[in-house]
Amino acid sequence: MSHVAGEFTGIIRDQIAALEEGGLQGDAPTVANISAADTAAVVTYINTVLLPALRDRGVIA
């Protein structure tokens, strides 16, 4: 495993542990599948739908 992959895995593991300690409450948000035709549309979807849903849920800041 590369250094970058190992570092990323550690970050994810730490985030999961923090979420488990905090005890996620409620239901996860419903997020539609991406049906984008190009990269720009995927970026737009992530920035306008996915990231706000994760922020609202407290998964990311």
Side-chain angles (χ1 to χ4, degrees), residues 12 26 37:
I12 297 300

Side-chain angles (χ1 to χ4, degrees), residues 15-61:
Q15 289 292 340
I16 290 171
L19 290 171
E20 288 174 346
E21 286 177 15
L24 287 175
Q25 302 296 319
D27 296 325
T30 300
V31 178
N33 291 336
I34 298 173
S35 59
D38 58 27
T39 305
V42 172
V43 170
T44 298
Y45 179 86
I46 289 170
N47 288 331
T48 61
V49 177
L50 182 59
L51 292 177
L54 293 173
R55 285 187 184 103
D56 289 346
R57 183 72 174 99
V59 174
I60 62 173

